[in-house]
Each structure stands twice: as C-alpha cells, then as structure tokens.
Amino acid sequence: MAQKKYLQAKLTQFLREDRIQLWKPPYTDENKKVGLALKDLAKKYSDKLECCENEVEKIIEEIRCKAIERGTGNENYRTTGIATIEVFLPPRLKKDRKNLLETQLLITGRELRSKIAETFGFQENYIKIVINKKQLQLGKTLEEQGVAHNVKAMVLELKQSEEDVRKNFQLEEEEQNEAELKEKQIQRTKRGLEILAQRAAETVVDPEMTPYLDIANQTGRSIRIPASERKALMLAMGYHEKGRAFLKRKEYGIALPCLLDADKYFCECCRELLDTVDNYAVLQLDIVWCYFRLEQLECLDDAEKKLNLAQKCFKNCYGENHQRLVHIKGNCGKEKVLFLRLYLLQGIRNYHSGNDVEACEYLNKARQLLKELYIDPSKVDNLLQLGFTAQEARLGLRACDGNVDHAATHITNRREELAQIRKEEKEKKRRRLENIRSLKGMGYSTHAAQQALHAASGNLDEALKILLSNPQMWWLNDSNPETDNRQESPSQENIDQLVYMGFDALVAEAALRVFRGNVQLAAQTLAHNGGSLPPDLPLSPEDSLSPPATSPSDSAGTSSASTDEDMETEAVNEILEDIPEHEEDYLDSTLEDEEMIIAECAPSGGSFQPQDCSSSQMPSGLSSRCIQDFSSLPEGTD
C-alpha cells in the first residue's frame, strides 16, 4: 500500500510537469470513457519509473476517474449548490476508506454527523468529525465553520469493533458503554483544565491544599505571563499534556481532539511567545504524528507547513546548532529525540509526495540520530541499582553521552536543584497568599490586592502605598459590579469614630459612604490625603446594600453543590493523574516506534522505499506537564 501511495504521488507529479489533463481528449472520450492514448502514457511513465506497466496504467486510470468525478462534482456545485465532501473513514475499515458525500452547506454540524453515521454505518453519538484541523461544531452550520466544497472530513471513532463482533449484543453493549465513558472523559478533561487554569489566574489558592497550574522555564522557576494570555497558555499546555498522555496509551482517536484544542488555544497567544518556546513546536510534531498513526496523514493538508513550523521554532528556541540550548542546560542530547521524530516525519511526508531524494536524506538523518541516541540497557540497569528511575536514567545518559558516572552525577545534581527551586517557589507562593490575605484584612478586595502586589513586585508595604495613593483601586471588586457600585449609609457610631480621630464630620460621612462603612479604609485614605477624599472618587449617595437574602432553596441546594464539588474534584484529579512528574517527560522516549518504522524503510538505489506493511507498521496514509511546572519554556520569556 505504501508503494502504491508513492507511485500515485510520482505519477501525479509527472502529470503536472507534463501539463497533461486526463479528463480531456485523447485520454478521455466524449462519453467519459478511457481513451487509447492512456496506454501510451502508462508505458512512458513505467519506463521512467522502471516498474510494471499494468500497475502504472491502473493507477493512472484511478487518477483519471477521480479527476472526472471531481469535475462532475464541481459542475454540480455550481449549478445546484450541493457540495462534495471527501470522507476519510477509520483505519479498521480496510476498504473504501475514502468516500464522497454530497451535502448542502447550510445544514448544521449535527446534521452532517447524522448523515455520515447513516451513510457509513456508524452510531451517531460515538463519532467525531474533524474538518480543517478542527472538531466539527454540532450547533453551527457548515458554512459558518468554513466548510467548503471538496473539503476533507476525517471520522474519529470513539469505539472500534469489527462488523462480525458487532452482531454480538453483549459486546456491542459493552463497547457502547466504553464510548460513553470516553466521551465523558473528554468532557471531564475540558472541565478539569478550565478549573485548574482559573485557579492559576486567581493566584490566591493555597499551594499546600489546592492543586493549581503553573508555568515555569527550563530551570523550574515560575515565570510571569501577561494576564491576557496566561489562561489561554494554561489551557493550551494543559490540553497538550492530556493529548500526550493519550498518545502514550496509543489512544490516537481521543488524543487528536485534545491536541487540536491545544493548537487552538496556542493561537490565542502572541506570535512572539510562540516563536520563543519549544512547546508549540513539540505540539506541531505531536499533531502530525497523531494523524500519521491514525493512517490519515493525507487529511492534514498542511503537514509540511506544520513540520517546517516546528523546525523553525526549534531553531529560534534552541539557537543555531543548539548554542542557546547548551548555554542554558549544558547539553542538547535529550532534545535530539525531537529532531529524530521531525526528520522521520519529514522523510515519510516527502516519500508519499513523490520526493524520494529528499525522503532518503531525511530518513538517513533520522537513522543517524537513532544510532546516537541508542542507550545500552545494561547502563540503565546500573543507574536503576543506584536508586534512579528508568526515565531519569534514559534522560541522564543522553545528556551525558552514555557515561554512567556522569549521568548519575547529573541526575543527582538536577534532583537537588529542583528540590531547592520548588521549595523557593512554594515559599514565594505562600508569602504572596499571606500578603493578599493581609490586604483583604484591611478591607481591600482580592482583585485590588492582586493588582497592587503585582505592581509592587510582591512587596506588601509598597502595595499598601499604591492602594492608599489610588483609592479608586478599592473598586476592583470580586463580586457583581452592578451591586458593588451601591453605597451604604454609614452608622453614626462609625462617623463618630472618624470625628474622634480629627476628621471633619461631613468628610467622614462621605468617606464611609464610599468605603461602605469600612472605618479602617476610610481612616487610612483620609489620613493619606490630608483629611480629604480624592476628587475622582464617587461621593454621591446611592441605594444602600441590603444584606443577602437567604433563599429557601439555599439549604436544599447544599447536596447539589456538594455533588458539583465532587465532580470538579474528580475532573481535576483526572487531569493530575496524566501530568508527568518529571519536567522533561516530553523528551523521554524509548524510541521503539521510531526504530520500528526506520527498520521498515530500506534504502534501495539511493531512494527511500518503505516495505508494504500492516497498520501496525508503515500505514498507507503516512501511517504510527495540576501542571506544577512546565520546564520546556526557555529562559528569557519572563
């Protein structure tokens, strides 16, 4: 099958170079039947490729039929508005995996999913549709989602079974339950990541009690990201980690939606950030690898663009010849696994595009890197006996060019360094939380406290000065702004307290109205401003705040609230389980998959010729970080 894909690519390339239009005479007659000239063309190209003339003729005929089919579809679309969608079915359907489906573009995503399920024999609720590298939104029309005529749609199945197995009711019921569980798992993933990202945005959670997300550089130290991008970056990295967890378990159908969601959120971050961190480059590799293992790489029209983008990001992040990486981390051995996969995917993509020379060059690069990255199992065993994990052993040996003694020292030093950094980061988080609580105790809102501490670089005294100099910051409240703008009528007792301190009675009353009866805030502001209020504060009396009424349903809702909290805890814990403990987990690989694929690609006559194989081997469609700290962000992004 791989050989056929290669021949299709080469023949398509020849046809374009020779400007041959197979759907026109002399290759197609007026009845759209094959012309005699096609045999001459097949002989010409078979001689050029040094392969069987009959096989070449058969492939050219397939290309001709597809061209006529596309032309008929184009004409039909122009006259009726009915578009044609090329549907790519899951790998388990060995035959007719590419099919054409006609549809109006004004129907919703749900209607298209239903139509695909009915046409190709799927259960509607257990499939997902990916078009233009995005999950199809069920509630919007195809037109609203940018779906156009001749677009490619990939079907992801949440359950997999053979036709004869599906006849067994009990097994079918079990698989339906499994599909439902997987769909719920995807929804819990989204909820868990949103909760963790929100906690990170608030920065007021107790690090000892509450799991939260943080972003760190390669050394493990937290870095500051603009608030406008922080949540998007958190979600992007979170979805990426979840997708990578599914990739490890070879659950590619569930991994791909997570990776595509990660790509969506990364695109909300500024280009400068994306060009200077390797996370985005690694994501591009993971997306292409996922399509590859799903045997659907031809659905990814911009595979070459993604691989080139990854290569560019690596160069920007690591520097020319990895100088910047070596300067920061002292070595570049571990990162070479990323380039191995990059070269391998570039080789496969070029092969199926008919570029055999380029494919061979990339494959040779990958093969050379595989030799460099090979680890002697006995050396891993030696490090395991010293109390290190297999992951630490692999990473340490690659960082130290296979030297066991140096690797042991490297791992020990890194452990000690990370332990100290984590201790310092935890203490910094604890101090910030205490400072926020101190300012809240003075009457300021959480939001105002956060803003002031951010501006004061964490210094409590400076933050208090900022708040006193800018009393309008007190209006940065956490609750509903519509109710926050109302002012309370101060009590005479509070007015008397301020008068006793030496402030004018009318000014005291105005200050208490502004600060809703908070004597401490009113006194501090008046003292800081020489006994008067700044002119930009609202002084006119408005409706007083009434105490929140206790609804009869409040007590009845306790059980429901408890259930929601349990569900949130479950969602968060599920995310935490898939977040790797080691900060360089994304660089750790046994390289078993890469080794297997490279072994199946044998150089012949200077060209790249993968052997024909099953889906577990070379597939026909270019076919197989509570993130407590992400260490793949390079220094210099603070």
Side-chain angles (χ1 to χ4, degrees):
M1 191 63 181
Q3 181 69 13
K4 181 179 179 181
K5 293 292 297 182
Y6 171 75
L7 287 176
Q8 285 176 332
K10 291 298 293 184
L11 290 170
T12 300
Q13 181 181 336
F14 292 160
L15 292 169
R16 286 173 179 166
E17 290 173 353
D18 296 341
R19 297 185 178 182
I20 291 176
Q21 298 176 321
L22 292 176
W23 61 94
K24 292 183 178 180
Y27 309 105
T28 300
D29 62 23
E30 58 184 11
N31 296 318
K32 297 184 179 180
K33 300 294 183 180
V34 60
L36 296 177
L38 192 137
K39 279 190 172 292
D40 297 332
L41 190 64
K43 185 177 187 315
K44 172 185 174 182
Y45 289 154
S46 64
D47 292 342
K48 192 173 183 179
L49 290 169
E50 298 181 355
C51 60
C52 175
E53 182 179 336
N54 289 336
E55 186 177 358
V56 170
E57 183 179 352
K58 182 179 178 181
I59 293 175
I60 293 177
E61 172 60 8
E62 288 180 4
I63 296 174
R64 187 190 72 85
C65 291
K66 287 181 180 178
I68 292 174
E69 199 173 47
R70 178 177 283 260
T72 302
N74 290 342
E75 181 63 29
N76 187 41
Y77 178 64
R78 283 192 293 268
T79 57
T80 67
I82 297 177
T84 300
I85 295 178
E86 190 172 7
V87 181
F88 289 74
L89 302 178
R92 70 176 183 83
L93 304 176
K94 301 299 182 183
K95 296 181 178 180
D96 300 323
R97 286 181 52 200
K98 285 197 298 183
N99 297 268
L100 298 182
L101 183 73
E102 293 186 341
T103 180
Q104 294 280 355
L105 296 179
L106 296 178
I107 67 171
T108 64
R110 180 173 284 101
E111 290 172 308
L112 177 63
R113 185 184 69 170
S114 178
K115 192 170 185 177
I116 289 176
E118 181 181 355
T119 303
F120 302 111
F122 296 108
Q123 296 187 48
E124 182 178 346
N125 293 329
Y126 304 139
I127 59 172
K128 288 185 177 294
I129 313 299
V130 176
I131 299 178
N132 296 329
K133 303 179 294 299
K134 297 177 182 177
Q135 286 189 67
L136 188 68
Q137 298 182 46
L138 301 182
K140 293 185 177 181
T141 68
L142 304 185
E143 196 172 57
E144 289 172 335
Q145 298 180 67
V147 177
H149 175 58
N150 284 332
V151 76
K152 295 177 180 178
M154 183 172 69
V155 179
L156 294 177
E157 208 174 7
L158 294 182
K159 71 181 187 69
Q160 297 181 2
S161 61
E162 299 296 339
E163 186 64 33
D164 56 337
V165 176
R166 277 198 275 173
K167 295 176 182 178
N168 185 302
F169 176 79
Q170 183 178 357
L171 289 179
E172 182 174 338
E173 187 176 46
E174 290 176 358
E175 289 182 345
Q176 288 181 7
N177 291 337
E178 180 185 354
E180 290 173 355
L181 288 174
K182 288 184 177 181
E183 177 60 27
K184 290 178 180 178
Q185 189 176 23
I186 292 173
Q187 297 306 317
R188 285 198 304 273
T189 294
K190 293 183 177 181
R191 181 60 184 146
L193 287 171
E194 287 171 356
I195 292 169
L196 288 166
Q198 185 60 41
R199 288 176 183 174
E202 293 171 353
T203 64
V204 292
V205 296
D206 186 345
E208 297 287 347
M209 303 295 294
T210 310
Y212 65 97
L213 291 171
D214 198 8
I215 301 177
N217 59 21
Q218 279 129 327
T219 67
R221 296 191 182 278
S222 297
I223 60 176
R224 292 168 63 180
I225 301 293
S228 59
E229 298 182 19
R230 186 176 181 84
K231 185 173 182 180
L233 184 58
M234 288 285 188
L235 289 170
M237 298 172 81
Y239 274 114
H240 189 188
E241 285 299 333
K242 192 66 178 179
R244 287 186 63 250
F246 287 126
L247 282 179
K248 289 180 184 178
R249 298 194 286 266
K250 301 189 184 302
E251 297 183 60
Y252 304 111
I254 304 179
L256 185 58
C258 291
L259 297 176
L260 294 177
D261 281 338
D263 198 34
K264 177 183 71 174
Y265 284 111
F266 265 123
C267 290
E268 294 180 12
C269 301
C270 67
R271 174 53 56 181
E272 180 183 1
L273 179 64
L274 298 184
D275 286 341
T276 54
V277 298
D278 67 357
N279 302 70
Y280 191 53
V282 175
L283 175 63
Q284 303 311 304
L285 282 185
D286 288 340
I287 290 175
V288 178
W289 182 260
C290 197
Y291 272 95
F292 167 55
R293 299 308 282 176
L294 285 167
E295 305 182 33
Q296 300 282 20
L297 199 50
E298 56 190 308
C299 289
L300 189 62
D301 293 329
D302 63 346
E304 181 180 13
K305 178 182 176 182
K306 284 189 174 296
L307 294 174
N308 290 340
L309 177 59
Q311 191 164 23
K312 177 184 175 183
C313 286
F314 284 141
K315 183 178 178 181
N316 291 339
C317 182
Y318 298 155
E320 194 73 40
N321 298 320
H322 304 165
Q323 296 101 322
R324 184 167 181 262
L325 181 63
V326 173
H327 175 72
I328 294 173
K329 302 180 73 173
N331 64 82
C332 62
K334 293 171 285 190
E335 280 71 15
K336 287 182 179 180
V337 299
L338 302 176
F339 289 90
L340 169 56
R341 180 164 288 189
L342 172 64
Y343 296 150
L344 180 57
L345 288 172
Q346 287 176 320
I348 295 170
R349 192 209 64 79
N350 274 283
Y351 175 77
H352 286 295
S353 296
N355 305 321
D356 48 334
V357 176
E358 292 87 346
C360 189
E361 290 176 356
Y362 281 120
L363 180 67
N364 287 334
K365 284 185 178 182
R367 184 180 289 110
Q368 182 60 39
L369 269 182
L370 183 64
K371 292 179 182 178
E372 291 181 26
L373 293 169
Y374 171 76
I375 296 175
D376 186 343
S378 65
K379 293 182 178 181
V380 175
D381 291 337
N382 290 339
L383 290 171
L384 290 177
Q385 292 174 13
L386 295 176
F388 302 120
T389 67
Q391 184 177 65
E392 287 177 319
R394 285 190 296 268
L395 291 169
L397 287 168
R398 284 178 179 146
C400 301
D401 297 322
N403 187 298
V404 175
D405 293 335
H406 292 174
T409 302
H410 173 84
I411 298 169
T412 301
N413 291 341
R414 185 57 181 156
R415 277 185 174 185
E416 294 173 353
E417 180 186 356
L418 279 175
Q420 181 61 31
I421 289 173
R422 285 167 179 164
K423 182 180 178 181
E424 293 172 2
E425 290 296 320
K426 184 182 289 187
E427 177 61 21
K428 185 167 68 174
K429 182 79 177 178
R430 186 192 61 77
R431 287 198 306 269
R432 178 174 174 80
L433 188 59
E434 286 184 354
N435 289 342
I436 290 175
R437 287 171 177 166
S438 296
L439 292 174
K440 288 181 67 178
M442 299 177 191
Y444 294 103
S445 69
T446 300
H447 194 180
Q450 288 175 332
Q451 293 263 4
L453 285 168
H454 179 78
S457 299
N459 187 292
L460 179 60
D461 293 334
E462 289 298 320
L464 184 56
K465 289 180 182 178
I466 291 172
L467 288 169
L468 291 173
S469 300
N470 301 274
Q472 66 274 11
M473 290 182 68
W474 187 81
W475 294 94
L476 296 173
N477 282 297
D478 307 314
S479 53
N480 190 334
E482 293 183 3
T483 60
D484 283 346
N485 287 333
R486 295 182 291 175
Q487 300 167 317
E488 291 183 343
S489 297
S491 68
Q492 188 60 46
E493 180 182 356
N494 288 345
I495 295 174
D496 291 342
Q497 286 186 51
L498 291 178
V499 171
Y500 181 77
M501 296 178 192
F503 300 116
D504 180 81
L506 291 177
V507 176
E509 182 179 357
L512 288 169
R513 285 185 180 278
V514 170
F515 295 108
R516 304 195 189 109
N518 189 311
V519 176
Q520 186 178 7
L521 274 180
Q524 288 176 341
T525 304
L526 291 175
H528 189 77
N529 290 277
S532 61
L533 286 172
D536 56 344
L537 285 179
L539 300 178
S540 57
E542 294 180 27
D543 297 335
S544 63
L545 281 172
S546 57
T550 302
S551 169
S553 62
D554 286 349
S555 57
T558 303
S559 176
S560 175
S562 177
T563 302
D564 290 344
E565 185 176 341
D566 290 341
M567 292 177 65
E568 289 189 354
T569 301
E570 180 184 354
V572 168
N573 289 339
E574 196 167 289
I575 296 296
L576 303 185
E577 289 173 1
D578 282 330
I579 299 304
E581 292 185 12
H582 200 289
E583 73 282 357
E584 291 182 327
D585 177 83
Y586 74 109
L587 298 176
D588 175 46
S589 173
T590 62
L591 301 180
E592 291 176 354
D593 287 344
E594 289 84 350
E595 183 179 13
M596 178 190 71
I597 295 168
I598 290 175
E600 291 160 0
C601 303
S604 175
S607 65
F608 177 29
Q609 293 190 352
Q611 301 167 1
D612 200 7
C613 52
S614 66
S615 61
S616 63
Q617 300 173 330
M618 175 68 73
S620 62
L622 289 194
S623 49
S624 211
R625 292 176 215 174
C626 182
I627 305 176
Q628 294 175 346
D629 65 44
F630 277 110
S631 61
S632 56
L633 282 168
E635 288 186 304
T637 56
D638 191 352

